[in-house]
Coordinates of all heavy atoms in Angstrom, one line a residue:
M1 N -5.8 6.1 -11.4 CA -6.3 6.7 -10.2 C -5.1 7.0 -9.2 O -4.3 6.1 -9.0 CB -7.3 5.7 -9.5 CG -7.8 6.3 -8.2 SD -9.0 5.2 -7.5 CE -10.4 5.3 -8.7
A2 N -5.1 8.2 -8.7 CA -4.0 8.5 -7.8 C -4.2 8.0 -6.4 O -5.3 7.8 -5.9 CB -3.9 10.1 -7.7
C3 N -3.1 7.6 -5.8 CA -3.1 7.1 -4.4 C -3.7 8.2 -3.5 O -3.1 9.3 -3.5 CB -1.7 6.7 -4.0 SG -1.6 6.2 -2.3
P4 N -4.7 7.9 -2.7 CA -5.3 8.9 -1.8 C -4.3 9.3 -0.7 O -4.5 10.3 0.0 CB -6.5 8.3 -1.3 CG -6.4 6.8 -1.5 CD -5.4 6.7 -2.6
I5 N -3.3 8.5 -0.5 CA -2.4 8.8 0.6 C -1.2 9.7 0.2 O -0.9 10.7 0.8 CB -1.8 7.4 1.2 CG1 -2.9 6.5 1.6 CG2 -0.8 7.7 2.3 CD1 -3.8 7.1 2.7
C6 N -0.6 9.3 -0.9 CA 0.6 10.1 -1.3 C 0.4 10.7 -2.7 O 1.3 11.3 -3.2 CB 1.8 9.2 -1.3 SG 1.8 7.8 -2.4
S7 N -0.7 10.4 -3.4 CA -1.0 11.0 -4.7 C -0.2 10.5 -5.8 O -0.2 11.0 -6.9 CB -0.9 12.5 -4.6 OG -1.8 13.1 -3.7
K8 N 0.5 9.4 -5.6 CA 1.2 8.7 -6.7 C 0.2 7.9 -7.4 O -0.8 7.5 -6.9 CB 2.4 7.9 -6.1 CG 3.5 8.7 -5.6 CD 4.6 7.7 -5.0 CE 5.7 8.5 -4.4 NZ 6.7 7.6 -3.8
P9 N 0.6 7.5 -8.7 CA -0.3 6.6 -9.5 C -0.5 5.3 -8.8 O 0.5 4.7 -8.3 CB 0.5 6.5 -10.8 CG 1.4 7.6 -10.9 CD 1.8 8.0 -9.4
G10 N -1.8 4.9 -8.7 CA -2.0 3.6 -8.0 C -1.7 2.4 -8.9 O -1.6 2.5 -10.1
V11 N -1.6 1.3 -8.3 CA -1.3 0.0 -9.0 C -2.5 -0.9 -8.8 O -3.1 -0.9 -7.7 CB 0.0 -0.7 -8.5 CG1 1.2 0.3 -8.7 CG2 -0.1 -1.0 -7.0
P12 N -2.8 -1.7 -9.8 CA -4.0 -2.6 -9.7 C -4.0 -3.5 -8.4 O -5.1 -3.7 -7.8 CB -3.9 -3.5 -11.0 CG -3.1 -2.6 -11.9 CD -2.1 -1.9 -11.0
A13 N -2.9 -3.9 -8.0 CA -2.8 -4.9 -6.9 C -3.3 -4.2 -5.6 O -3.9 -4.9 -4.7 CB -1.4 -5.4 -6.7
Y14 N -3.1 -2.9 -5.5 CA -3.4 -2.2 -4.2 C -4.4 -1.1 -4.5 O -4.5 -0.1 -3.7 CB -2.2 -1.7 -3.6 CG -1.2 -2.8 -3.2 CD1 0.0 -2.9 -3.9 CD2 -1.5 -3.7 -2.2 CE1 0.9 -3.9 -3.6 CE2 -0.7 -4.7 -1.9 CZ 0.5 -4.8 -2.6 OH 1.4 -5.9 -2.3
R15 N -5.0 -1.1 -5.7 CA -5.9 0.0 -6.0 C -6.9 0.3 -4.9 O -7.4 -0.5 -4.2 CB -6.8 -0.5 -7.3 CG -7.4 0.6 -8.0 CD -7.9 0.0 -9.3 NE -8.8 -1.2 -9.1 CZ -9.4 -1.8 -10.1 NH1 -9.2 -1.4 -11.3 NH2 -10.1 -2.9 -9.9
P16 N -7.1 1.6 -4.6 CA -6.6 2.8 -5.4 C -5.2 3.2 -4.9 O -4.8 4.3 -5.3 CB -7.6 3.8 -5.2 CG -8.1 3.6 -3.8 CD -8.0 2.1 -3.6
F17 N -4.6 2.4 -4.1 CA -3.3 2.9 -3.5 C -2.2 2.5 -4.4 O -2.3 1.7 -5.3 CB -3.2 2.3 -2.1 CG -4.3 2.5 -1.2 CD1 -5.3 1.5 -1.0 CD2 -4.6 3.7 -0.6 CE1 -6.4 1.7 -0.2 CE2 -5.7 4.0 0.2 CZ -6.6 2.9 0.4
C18 N -1.0 3.1 -4.1 CA 0.2 2.8 -4.9 C 1.0 1.7 -4.3 O 1.9 1.1 -5.0 CB 1.0 4.1 -5.0 SG 1.9 4.5 -3.4
S19 N 0.7 1.3 -3.1 CA 1.5 0.2 -2.5 C 0.8 -0.3 -1.3 O -0.2 0.3 -0.8 CB 2.9 0.8 -2.1 OG 2.7 1.7 -1.0
K20 N 1.3 -1.4 -0.8 CA 0.7 -2.0 0.4 C 0.8 -1.1 1.6 O 0.0 -1.0 2.5 CB 1.3 -3.4 0.7 CG 0.5 -4.1 1.9 CD 1.1 -5.5 2.1 CE 0.3 -6.2 3.2 NZ 0.2 -5.5 4.4
R21 N 1.9 -0.4 1.6 CA 2.2 0.5 2.7 C 1.1 1.6 2.8 O 0.6 1.9 3.9 CB 3.6 1.2 2.6 CG 4.0 1.9 3.9 CD 5.4 2.5 3.7 NE 5.4 3.7 2.9 CZ 6.2 4.7 3.1 NH1 7.1 4.6 4.0 NH2 6.1 5.7 2.3
C22 N 0.8 2.2 1.7 CA -0.2 3.2 1.7 C -1.6 2.6 2.0 O -2.4 3.3 2.7 CB -0.3 3.9 0.3 SG 1.0 5.1 0.1
A23 N -1.8 1.4 1.6 CA -3.1 0.7 1.9 C -3.2 0.5 3.4 O -4.2 0.7 4.0 CB -3.2 -0.6 1.2
D24 N -2.1 0.2 4.0 CA -2.0 0.0 5.5 C -2.2 1.3 6.2 O -2.9 1.3 7.2 CB -0.7 -0.6 5.9 CG -0.6 -2.1 5.5 OD1 -1.7 -2.7 5.2 OD2 0.5 -2.7 5.5
I25 N -1.7 2.3 5.7 CA -1.9 3.6 6.3 C -3.3 4.0 6.3 O -3.9 4.5 7.3 CB -1.0 4.7 5.5 CG1 0.5 4.5 5.8 CG2 -1.4 6.1 6.0 CD1 1.3 5.4 5.0
D26 N -4.0 3.8 5.1 CA -5.4 4.1 5.0 C -6.2 3.3 6.0 O -7.1 3.7 6.7 CB -5.9 3.9 3.6 CG -7.3 4.3 3.4 OD1 -7.5 5.5 3.4 OD2 -8.2 3.5 3.4
L27 N -5.9 2.0 6.1 CA -6.6 1.1 7.0 C -6.4 1.5 8.4 O -7.3 1.5 9.2 CB -6.1 -0.4 6.8 CG -6.7 -1.4 7.7 CD1 -8.2 -1.5 7.5 CD2 -6.1 -2.8 7.5
G28 N -5.2 1.9 8.7 CA -4.9 2.3 10.1 C -5.7 3.6 10.5 O -6.1 3.7 11.6
R29 N -5.9 4.4 9.5 CA -6.7 5.6 9.8 C -8.1 5.2 10.1 O -8.8 5.8 11.0 CB -6.7 6.6 8.6 CG -5.3 7.3 8.4 CD -5.3 8.2 7.3 NE -4.0 8.9 7.1 CZ -3.8 9.8 6.2 NH1 -4.7 10.1 5.3 NH2 -2.6 10.3 6.1
W30 N -8.6 4.3 9.4 CA -10.0 3.8 9.6 C -10.1 3.2 11.0 O -11.0 3.5 11.8 CB -10.4 2.7 8.6 CG -10.9 3.3 7.4 CD1 -10.3 3.4 6.2 CD2 -12.3 3.8 7.2 NE1 -11.2 4.0 5.3 CE2 -12.4 4.2 5.8 CE3 -13.4 3.8 8.0 CZ2 -13.6 4.7 5.3 CZ3 -14.6 4.4 7.5 CH2 -14.7 4.8 6.2
L31 N -9.1 2.4 11.4 CA -9.2 1.7 12.7 C -9.1 2.7 13.8 O -9.6 2.5 14.9 CB -8.1 0.7 12.8 CG -8.2 -0.5 11.8 CD1 -7.0 -1.4 11.9 CD2 -9.5 -1.2 12.0
R32 N -8.3 3.8 13.6 CA -8.1 4.7 14.7 C -9.2 5.7 14.7 O -9.3 6.6 15.6 CB -6.8 5.5 14.5 CG -5.6 4.6 14.9 CD -4.3 5.2 14.5 NE -4.3 6.6 14.6 CZ -3.8 7.5 13.6 NH1 -3.3 7.0 12.5 NH2 -3.9 8.7 13.8
G33 N -10.1 5.7 13.7 CA -11.3 6.6 13.7 C -11.0 8.0 13.2 O -11.6 8.9 13.6
D34 N -9.9 8.1 12.4 CA -9.6 9.4 11.9 C -10.6 9.8 10.9 O -10.9 11.0 10.7 CB -8.2 9.4 11.2 CG -7.1 9.4 12.3 OD1 -7.5 9.5 13.5 OD2 -5.9 9.4 11.9
Y35 N -11.3 8.9 10.2 CA -12.3 9.2 9.3 C -13.6 9.3 10.0 O -14.1 8.4 10.6 CB -12.4 8.1 8.2 CG -11.2 8.1 7.2 CD1 -10.8 7.0 6.6 CD2 -10.5 9.3 7.0 CE1 -9.8 6.9 5.7 CE2 -9.4 9.3 6.2 CZ -9.1 8.1 5.5 OH -8.0 8.1 4.6
V36 N -14.2 10.5 9.8 CA -15.5 10.7 10.4 C -16.6 10.4 9.4 O -16.7 11.1 8.4 CB -15.7 12.1 11.0 CG1 -17.0 12.3 11.6 CG2 -14.6 12.3 12.1
I37 N -17.5 9.5 9.7 CA -18.6 9.2 8.8 C -19.8 9.9 9.2 O -20.4 9.6 10.3 CB -18.9 7.7 8.7 CG1 -17.6 6.9 8.4 CG2 -19.9 7.3 7.7 CD1 -17.7 5.4 8.5
P38 N -20.3 10.9 8.4 CA -21.5 11.6 8.8 C -22.7 10.7 9.0 O -23.0 9.8 8.2 CB -21.7 12.5 7.5 CG -20.4 12.6 6.8 CD -19.8 11.3 7.1
G39 N -23.4 10.9 10.1 CA -24.6 10.1 10.3 C -24.3 8.8 11.0 O -25.2 8.0 11.3
A40 N -23.0 8.4 11.2 CA -22.7 7.2 11.8 C -21.7 7.4 13.0 O -20.7 6.8 13.1 CB -22.0 6.3 10.8
S41 N -22.1 8.3 13.9 CA -21.3 8.7 15.0 C -21.2 7.5 16.0 O -22.1 6.7 16.0 CB -21.8 10.0 15.6 OG -23.0 9.7 16.3
Q42 N -20.2 7.6 16.8 CA -20.0 6.5 17.8 C -21.1 6.7 18.9 O -21.3 5.8 19.8 CB -18.6 6.6 18.5 CG -17.6 6.3 17.4 CD -16.2 6.5 18.0 OE1 -16.0 7.0 19.1 NE2 -15.2 6.1 17.3
D43 N -21.8 7.8 18.9 CA -22.8 8.0 19.9 C -24.0 7.0 19.8 O -24.7 6.8 20.7 CB -23.4 9.4 19.8 CG -22.3 10.4 20.3 OD1 -21.4 10.0 21.0 OD2 -22.5 11.6 19.9
D44 N -24.1 6.4 18.6 CA -25.2 5.5 18.4 C -25.1 4.3 19.3 O -26.1 3.8 19.8 CB -25.1 5.0 16.9 CG -25.5 6.0 16.0 OD1 -26.0 7.1 16.4 OD2 -25.3 5.8 14.8
L45 N -23.9 3.9 19.6 CA -23.8 2.7 20.5 C -24.3 3.0 21.9 O -25.0 2.3 22.5 CB -22.3 2.3 20.6 CG -21.7 1.8 19.3 CD1 -20.2 1.5 19.4 CD2 -22.5 0.6 18.8
S46 N -23.8 4.2 22.5 CA -24.2 4.5 23.8 C -25.7 4.8 23.9 O -26.4 4.5 24.8 CB -23.5 5.7 24.3 OG -23.7 6.8 23.4
S47 N -26.3 5.3 22.8 CA -27.7 5.6 22.7 C -28.5 4.4 22.8 O -29.5 4.3 23.5 CB -28.1 6.4 21.5 OG -27.5 7.7 21.5
D48 N -28.1 3.3 22.1 CA -28.8 2.1 22.1 C -28.7 1.5 23.5 O -29.7 0.9 24.0 CB -28.2 1.1 21.2 CG -28.5 1.5 19.7 OD1 -29.5 2.3 19.6 OD2 -27.9 0.9 18.8
M49 N -27.6 1.6 24.2 CA -27.5 1.0 25.5 C -28.3 1.7 26.5 O -28.9 1.1 27.4 CB -26.0 1.0 26.0 CG -25.1 0.1 25.1 SD -23.4 0.3 25.6 CE -23.4 -0.4 27.2
N50 N -28.5 3.0 26.4 CA -29.3 3.7 27.3 C -30.8 3.6 27.0 O -31.6 3.9 27.8 CB -29.0 5.2 27.2 CG -27.5 5.5 27.7 OD1 -27.0 4.7 28.5 ND2 -26.9 6.6 27.3
G51 N -31.1 3.0 25.9 CA -32.5 2.8 25.5 C -33.3 4.1 25.5 O -34.4 4.2 26.0
E52 N -32.7 5.1 24.8 CA -33.4 6.4 24.7 C -34.6 6.3 23.8 O -34.8 5.3 23.1 CB -32.4 7.4 24.1 CG -31.3 7.7 25.2 CD -30.3 8.7 24.7 OE1 -30.5 9.1 23.5 OE2 -29.4 9.0 25.4
N53 N -35.4 7.3 23.8 CA -36.7 7.3 23.2 C -36.6 7.2 21.6 O -37.6 7.1 21.0 CB -37.5 8.5 23.6 CG -36.8 9.8 23.2 OD1 -35.7 9.8 22.6 ND2 -37.4 10.9 23.7
E54 N -35.4 7.3 21.1 CA -35.2 7.3 19.6 C -35.6 5.9 19.1 O -35.9 5.7 17.9 CB -33.8 7.6 19.2 CG -32.8 6.6 19.6 CD -31.4 7.0 19.1 OE1 -31.3 8.1 18.7 OE2 -30.5 6.1 19.1
K55 N -35.7 4.9 20.0 CA -36.1 3.6 19.5 C -37.6 3.6 19.1 O -38.0 2.9 18.3 CB -35.9 2.6 20.7 CG -34.5 2.1 20.8 CD -34.4 0.9 21.8 CE -33.0 0.4 21.8 NZ -32.9 -0.8 22.7
N56 N -38.4 4.5 19.7 CA -39.8 4.6 19.4 C -40.0 5.0 18.0 O -41.0 4.6 17.4 CB -40.5 5.6 20.3 CG -40.4 5.1 21.8 OD1 -40.4 3.9 22.0 ND2 -40.5 6.1 22.7
S57 N -39.1 5.8 17.5 CA -39.3 6.3 16.1 C -38.7 5.3 15.1 O -38.7 5.6 13.9 CB -38.6 7.7 15.9 OG -37.2 7.5 16.3
G58 N -38.2 4.2 15.6 CA -37.7 3.2 14.7 C -36.5 3.7 13.8 O -35.5 3.9 14.4
E59 N -36.7 3.8 12.5 CA -35.6 4.1 11.7 C -35.7 5.6 11.4 O -35.2 6.1 10.3 CB -35.7 3.3 10.4 CG -37.0 3.5 9.7 CD -37.1 2.5 8.5 OE1 -36.1 1.8 8.2 OE2 -38.1 2.4 7.9
G60 N -36.3 6.4 12.2 CA -36.3 7.8 12.0 C -35.0 8.5 12.2 O -34.6 8.8 13.3
L61 N -34.2 8.7 11.1 CA -32.9 9.2 11.3 C -32.9 10.7 11.8 O -32.0 11.1 12.4 CB -32.1 9.2 10.0 CG -32.0 7.8 9.4 CD1 -31.3 7.8 8.0 CD2 -31.1 7.0 10.3
D62 N -34.0 11.4 11.5 CA -34.1 12.8 11.9 C -34.1 12.9 13.4 O -33.9 14.0 14.0 CB -35.3 13.4 11.3 CG -35.1 13.6 9.8 OD1 -33.9 13.6 9.3 OD2 -36.1 13.7 9.1
S63 N -34.5 11.9 14.1 CA -34.6 12.0 15.6 C -33.3 11.9 16.3 O -33.2 12.1 17.5 CB -35.6 10.9 16.1 OG -35.0 9.7 15.9
R64 N -32.3 11.5 15.5 CA -30.9 11.3 16.1 C -30.4 12.7 16.6 O -30.5 13.7 16.0 CB -30.0 10.8 15.0 CG -28.6 10.7 15.6 CD -27.7 10.0 14.6 NE -28.2 8.7 14.3 CZ -27.9 8.0 13.2 NH1 -27.2 8.5 12.2 NH2 -28.4 6.8 13.0
P65 N -30.0 12.7 17.9 CA -29.4 13.9 18.5 C -28.2 14.4 17.6 O -27.4 13.7 17.3 CB -29.0 13.5 19.8 CG -29.6 12.2 20.1 CD -29.9 11.5 18.8
K66 N -28.2 15.7 17.4 CA -27.1 16.3 16.6 C -26.1 16.9 17.5 O -26.5 17.8 18.3 CB -27.7 17.3 15.6 CG -28.5 16.6 14.5 CD -29.0 17.7 13.5 CE -29.6 17.0 12.3 NZ -30.7 16.1 12.7
R67 N -24.9 16.5 17.4 CA -23.8 17.1 18.2 C -23.1 18.1 17.4 O -22.7 17.8 16.3 CB -22.9 16.0 18.7 CG -23.5 14.8 19.4 CD -24.1 15.2 20.7 NE -24.8 14.1 21.4 CZ -24.3 13.3 22.2 NH1 -23.0 13.4 22.5 NH2 -25.0 12.3 22.7
P68 N -22.8 19.2 18.0 CA -22.1 20.3 17.2 C -20.6 19.9 17.0 O -20.1 19.0 17.7 CB -22.1 21.5 18.2 CG -22.4 20.9 19.5 CD -23.2 19.7 19.3
Ligands
LIG1 ZN1 0.7 5.9 -2.0

């Protein structure tokens, strides 16, 4: 499996990365929010705090406001 950071062959110890450095780079991207997870936007937090009407629909994902 190629390292997703630098595309070099990965090593088992840091799979799928090739080194701890690349693993740290990937982790850093996660922490900084460079990776956008569809359907898990940060707006969820503020929505919960505001107590918007989406709570009424329970787990209705379709009621989530869509931001362009
Ligand atoms: Zn790498």
Side-chain angles (χ1 to χ4, degrees):
M1 179 177 292
C3 173
I5 303 300
C6 65
S7 297
K8 290 179 182 178
V11 298
Y14 300 110
R15 198 169 51 181
F17 308 102
C18 71
S19 64
K20 187 178 187 303
R21 194 177 74 147
C22 281
D24 285 343
I25 291 175
D26 185 75
L27 179 62
R29 288 183 179 180
W30 273 101
L31 295 178
R32 282 166 40 223
D34 282 1
Y35 289 155
V36 177
I37 306 174
S41 71
Q42 297 177 348
D43 290 340
D44 288 349
L45 295 176
S46 58
S47 292
D48 285 346
M49 292 176 65
N50 292 337
E52 293 179 356
N53 58 7
E54 68 180 13
K55 281 190 173 183
N56 294 335
S57 57
E59 55 188 356
L61 298 177
D62 290 338
S63 67
R64 177 175 297 161
K66 290 181 172 60
R67 305 292 177 92

